[in-house]
Amino acid sequence: MSKTSQISNNEKFNVSLVFFIITTCQVGVGIHGFQRLITQQAKQDAWISVILSFLFAHIAVFFMVKTLQLYQTKDLYEIHEDLYGKYVGTLFNFLYIFYYAFAFFVVLRNYIEVIVTWVFPGLSQGFIGITILLTVIYAFTGGFRVLVGIAFFSFFSIIWIPFLLWFPLEFAHYNHLSPVLATDLASIVKGAYTMTFTIVGFEILYFIYPFIKERKKAEKFAHLGLLATLLLYLFIMLVSIVYFSEKQLERTIWATLTLFSVVRLPFIERVEIITICIWLVILLPNLCFFMWAAYRGASRIIKIKPRAFLSIFFVIMYVGILLVQSRYQINHMNNFFSQWAFIIVFIYPFLLYIFAKTKKSIKNRVKNH
Amino acid sequence: MNRKKVFILLLSVTLFLFGCAQTRILERISLVTLVGYDQDQEDNVKATAVIRQINPNYESSIETQSETEHTSKGARTKLDMRTAKQLMIGQLRVVLFGEELAKSGLDEAIHTLMMNSEISTSTYLAVVEGETKPMIEYKYETITDIGQYLYNLLKHNIEQQQSISSTLHEVVRDKYSPYREFAMPLLKKEGEHIQINGVAFFNNGKMVGRLPADDIYYVVLLSDSFKHGTLELEIPSDNIVSKSKQSGNLQIAVDSIETDRRFDLVSVKPAQFDISINMKCRLLEIDSNVPIGNHQVIKKVEKAMSKKMEEEINRIFKYSQQVNSDIFGFGEVYKSHLSESELKNVKWNELYPDIKAKIQVNVDIIRNGTFE
Amino acid sequence: MFGMNKKKQQTKITEQKKQQTDNLPQDFTISSSNEKFIQHIKQKIHSPSDLICKVISDEIRIIYLTHLVDGKSLKEDILKTLEGQDDWTPRTIFEKLPIPEMESSSNFKTCIQEILKGGVLIHVEGFSEVVIAKITTYQTRSLTAPENESQVVGSQIGFNESLPTNVSIVRRYITNPNLCNEQFTIGKHTNTSLSLLYIHGIASEDQVNTVRQRIQDLDINDLIDSANLAELIEDSSSSIFPQLLLTERPDRFCDGLLSGKLGIVVNGSSMAIVSPYSFFEFFQSREDQNLRWPIGTFVRLLRFIAIFIAIFATPMYVATLTFHYDVIPQPLIIPLSESRAIVPFPPVMEALLMELTIELLREAGARLPTKVGQTIGIVGGIVLGTAAVDAGLTSNVLIIIMALSALASFTTPNYVMGNSIRVVRFPIMIFAGFWGYYGLMLAFCIILIHLLRQSSLGAPYLAPFYPPRWKDWPNSIIRLPLPLIKRQPTNTAREESNNALINRSGGLRGEKVKE
């Protein structure tokens, strides 16, 4: 038997918080401009792509939970070692660590890009990076409970988004939505595929699962969390379609932020500047959980102390920020990430489940004989 | 403890290493509130800006500057060299275009405005009859700050739907839509005043035509879901006032309460539309001889009004076809009925002048004041 | 009755013995000789000039510190009784003296303790047992209205500096056999006594044990005020937010006890400690409960808004004027920029300067006698403010914003928390002055994380919001009508999901309490 890391009762959290963690880990930087890529594929039916992508996500979550239920108290890293043996399992774990570090970087870099473009053209990227990294590290050192708490409070900084998006509806042209289903299925599926970048984050379930108090209910809340994100994305997508003209949407880089810029409150102009800054709170759970997941893996493979891990992580991220400078590089990075994420998030859980299931049943049969 | 020390040290190091962002302290910058662009020789653009500065006497002074350059940014740099404080365009409220420039195309100008994240997307755009420079630089007797004046002028007229709305984001939307064109209010300097003098029609980013101020009402009515606004009409008086003393026309003013506009695509080939407008309104002014207590008479007035409005709208629709500028969104309705493949060969631009439309206006007078 | 009392006292003595063993020297026995005993005592406490030894008869000596005992009781109860009869033994003295609080001890250290606390030692020749008559009296402040936590509707009584008085007030509020009172004496030099109060059956056993443990583990020389004790026993003393409530209101204190919290009263301090206390509870006042519930709700929400105004108003001003001029709506931009036209500093300097001035005023006002304090307020507030604007050192818009945020910060019903709120503004202001709204949000995140990391006596600091105890939400956000309050907050429940029922409509509280 492989060793199972002990999780103290104190670190466990209430099952209803799974909802908040899933939602806040999904909502990140992708939401700023996901409309563009999808409309390029699915045109006015982009909203169907959104729904479709969430359908896939629900299926993926279903398999994730099934796999986790086979192993109960283990997270994915432990499952890998158990399933593939020490060496191959470690290899897979490395992939996941790298994935999470990459995800962390993608979120961080994209946010920096937004800040630099909209709010502070003169502010050094390295500086923003360092301040965010230090904040995340401060949260990380507080323990797992703090991370979950951040996810919880961050959810309340997401809630206002739909309310703010009522304002652009004043300029809506609802006939942008029709004809429904005029684009061919292939484009809609392609659109759903491009949603990957925006939708990922829920695979954190693989790692938080052992920390949940009543695991039986976890699946329900995970699906609810997905549903909440779906409603948010769907609403944003619909507003974007009726507000923007098609060609304009295809050229708007951060459509959601542009939508915010239409909002005019009597006491505030340029609402988008404020929302971009508030986005920091929305991003925080993304960053914290990605970092935490990477740390879980790293500490499992090599017995690394948190401080050593944080220092290395910090340096890598900082160097990364300095290296990736232009918009072209960022786009390239995002594309690469979403291709990879698609395999890890949507395809792999299915394969893993089948593999785990067959292995278990073979084991059982051997035992029985 | 050690870890905390390292953390604090690291934090303060970053604070001092990277210093701070470039400050834009409110009173130490000059705010550009209005920019006018004119066509100059050889493709150059002449920019005239209204710059608000704060002087130590707690007053804000208004200054106008103009400069010629290829790009608007270039013009801004040149202007910067002539102002005491750094120029900032985050408070830009109105952008004006000279007629000549508008006729030669605004694509580049609008694209530049949209790209710049400093500029609010709620900025109003408008076309000026003649050149913008004389209008901006003129010392008006009653207007102290022309930037603010024009902003308020456009804002309240657009809010009350006495002018078509042309914020930057709306113009950009229509500009990038292949099935729609945009329009802008047309401003004119009239002695000591500036007034909205009509609507400028655009086709493919170029100004192609205009309608006078009297027609704005119908343009707004047709282009948008019109909510409220006052309409003055002249309807033939026969049939309504039987013992008419002065034969001929009857002046009437109504205030619309609720309006509903629909475009229905009746046939695709050839493209044919049904335009139906339902308007509920309140009677504001009518000749005292008209017995408005009489239901029959009101019906007749409604009918006459509908007929008159149909004529007017038809005229405006025909005009927009004539200049080939679909600012009303027929194209979008057309598109929303066709699938992607069917649209492949459609060039709405070429189609629009030949579409047919049947206009039907239905006026309902539901309130008529406190005195019959 | 008497026997029972004695038994109780006996156990108390052993308890004290246990605690004080290491505080005191080795010698425990009492000499049976009068002279030797007096000599020992004198030696031990360095024969102070206020030590009186009286010879009653050949056998009986009484020893006390003159300023600490009640002279009248000494004369009429002790001296008269003792002189009226011969052949006393400690036992008869103990039984016959008309003193309510007495103790019989054969422990020398206890004698020292008690004489220092104002006991009268009665020693009979030939017995190695001493009767201690506790007729302590010292001047205490009469019970006055709490000055720092005043409220309009509600009781107007505050704790004073005497431990017995304070405990008696609490007992008067909560007449309940389950009200437990555990006494401790801590501080090697001061020997300060303190009481840990809680209601058995409502308070969580774990938390009682934790506090007891923490108090017993304290190894300190002196303890002057309860605030010091709070700092010593709270979870994280490096945080700028208080985790334990210091209150001088008995009603707030008892409210805490009744909802399962623990209270600590320290002798010599008019502030009692209530724990655990969550962040949001600091912003609730007892008065909310005394007002009609819609009004109580309104006031409570007002206070929540006030926190945000207090913390973010000035930093918002700084950030907006330094970086985000484009956020200002058009009608505001002229008044704002004109008011700052000749201010020579950047907004962050301006704001820091003025906030510092306000803090100076507050501090000066707090230190000075009331009448002078008022003058300072007027001089500082009006003269300084107007002059600063006239001289062009600050803008009048900032003065308004600052006054507003100062006002908002004083609505916090707890002075300690109010101070934290005011202090936390300064770093936020600096962040805002350097990096605008981004800095502001960064500071907000750091504070949020900081709050999430805190705990009060092991209970989460941000409860009931995080971890979400949905059922506790209504009464935390709004002030529920009393009949609707049915549960004890989870934060202090004995076990999670096993909250004691609270029934306020029927008049009985704590139904689940074991009899």
Side-chain angles (χ1 to χ4, degrees), chain B residues 281-284 292-293 298 365-372:
Chain B
C281 57
R282 172 168 79 105
L283 207 53
L284 286 182
I292 49 173
I298 289 291
I365 295 175
I366 53 171
R367 281 175 223 162
N368 45 19
T370 55
F371 191 75
E372 284 191 352

Side-chain angles (χ1 to χ4, degrees), chain B residues 102-346:
Chain B
K103 276 177 180 155
S104 65
L106 294 179
D107 279 2
E108 284 315 305
I110 290 169
H111 187 246
T112 315
L113 290 176
M114 200 57 199
M115 249 177 84
N116 193 336
S117 68
E118 260 184 278
I119 296 171
S120 164
T121 50
S122 302
T123 309
Y124 290 121
L125 308 183
V127 177
V128 171
E129 268 182 45
E131 290 225 316
T132 61
K133 191 169 186 252
M135 184 169 116
I136 295 171
E137 288 189 339
Y138 184 77
K139 294 263 176 278
Y140 297 90
E141 275 173 11
T142 48
I143 306 168
T144 46
D145 179 354
I146 185 162
Q148 196 185 350
Y149 175 84
L150 279 177
Y151 171 68
N152 288 336
L153 178 80
L154 286 167
K155 191 175 171 211
H156 96 256
N157 276 305
I158 288 169
E159 271 168 13
Q160 294 179 331
Q161 300 198 304
Q162 286 161 3
S163 165
I164 57 158
S165 179
S166 65
T167 55
L168 178 59
H169 61 88
E170 284 170 285
V171 167
V172 169
R173 173 178 66 187
D174 295 344
K175 179 179 170 307
Y176 285 103
S177 169
Y179 303 101
R180 206 181 168 119
E181 298 294 343
F182 61 90
M184 287 185 196
L186 197 61
L187 298 177
K188 190 185 180 194
K189 176 173 166 292
E190 194 78 47
E192 288 295 323
H193 295 282
I194 297 171
Q195 65 180 49
I196 296 179
N197 203 32
V199 185
F201 283 69
F202 284 78
N203 176 12
N204 229 345
K206 293 188 172 87
M207 181 174 158
V208 285
R210 49 175 293 185
L211 280 175
D214 293 340
D215 293 334
I216 292 179
Y217 180 87
Y218 299 105
V219 175
V220 176
L221 186 62
L222 204 54
S223 66
D224 207 328
S225 220
F226 180 87
K227 287 285 159 345
H228 37 69
T230 311
L231 167 67
E232 280 168 46
L233 275 179
E234 243 186 26
I235 51 173
S237 63
D238 24 307
N239 296 334
I240 296 170
V241 196
S242 47
K243 293 155 275 173
S244 150
K245 278 154 208 159
Q246 80 272 57
S247 60
N249 290 339
L250 197 63
Q251 292 293 337
I252 188 166
V254 292
D255 188 12
S256 119
I257 293 164
E258 203 185 307
T259 314
D260 172 39
R261 180 212 72 165
R262 280 182 66 93
F263 293 162
D264 288 308
L265 185 67
V266 193
S267 85
V268 175
K269 224 164 201 183
Q272 196 172 350
F273 288 89
D274 262 359
I275 305 170
S276 63
I277 293 169
N278 288 313
M279 189 163 102
K280 285 184 179 149
C281 57
R282 172 168 79 105
L283 207 53
L284 286 182
E285 253 181 68
I286 196 163
D287 195 295
S288 60
N289 291 324
V290 179
I292 49 173
N294 188 334
H295 185 65
Q296 293 304 320
V297 173
I298 289 291
K299 277 273 168 274
K300 276 179 192 160
V301 171
E302 283 173 359
K303 208 162 195 182
M305 277 174 69
S306 302
K307 194 162 170 245
K308 172 79 179 168
M309 282 170 75
E310 274 165 22
E311 281 166 18
E312 296 284 336
I313 288 170
N314 193 32
R315 179 171 62 79
I316 281 153
F317 171 64
K318 283 275 157 5
Y319 180 77
S320 81
Q321 279 189 310
Q322 191 189 322
V323 297
N324 192 8
S325 172
D326 174 19
I327 64 166
F328 309 115
F330 289 102
E332 277 175 353
V333 177
Y334 182 78
K335 181 219 153 199
S336 70
H337 282 85
L338 267 66
S339 70
E340 198 74 8
S341 51
E342 288 171 296
L343 280 171
K344 224 162 232 171
N345 299 320
V346 171

Side-chain angles (χ1 to χ4, degrees), chain A residues 227-243:
Chain A
L227 206 64
T229 325
L230 165 68
L231 289 179
L232 178 70
Y233 285 0
L234 189 63
F235 185 65
I236 293 177
M237 193 74 230
L238 286 172
V239 173
S240 306
I241 294 173
V242 296
Y243 172 80

Side-chain angles (χ1 to χ4, degrees), chain C residues 284 289 300 471-480 485:
Chain C
Q284 297 169 0
Q289 301 284 336
R300 193 171 276 186
K471 287 173 181 165
D472 294 346
W473 277 38
N475 199 32
S476 304
I477 300 165
I478 61 171
R479 186 285 223 199
L480 278 183
I485 304 175

Side-chain angles (χ1 to χ4, degrees), chain A residues 20 115 119-120 127-128 131-132 135 138-139 141-142 145 148-150 152-153 267-270 274 277 280-281, chain C residues 323-324 326-329 435-438 441-442 444-446 448-450 452-453 462 465-468 470 473:
Chain A
F20 297 97
I115 289 237
V119 190
F120 291 112
F127 170 77
I128 304 173
T131 48
I132 295 177
T135 313
Y138 181 51
T141 52
R145 279 189 85 101
V148 181
I150 291 168
F152 177 74
F153 282 105
F267 47 94
I268 294 171
E269 302 253 334
R270 310 299 301 274
I274 295 171
C277 294
L280 188 60
V281 187
Chain C
F323 295 102
H324 307 291
D326 37 9
V327 173
I328 308 167
W435 309 293
Y437 290 157
Y438 173 72
M441 284 321 291
L442 203 65
F444 176 78
C445 287
I446 292 170
L448 181 70
I449 296 168
H450 178 78
L452 277 166
R453 288 171 69 123
L462 286 180
F465 293 96
Y466 177 77
W470 307 107
W473 277 38

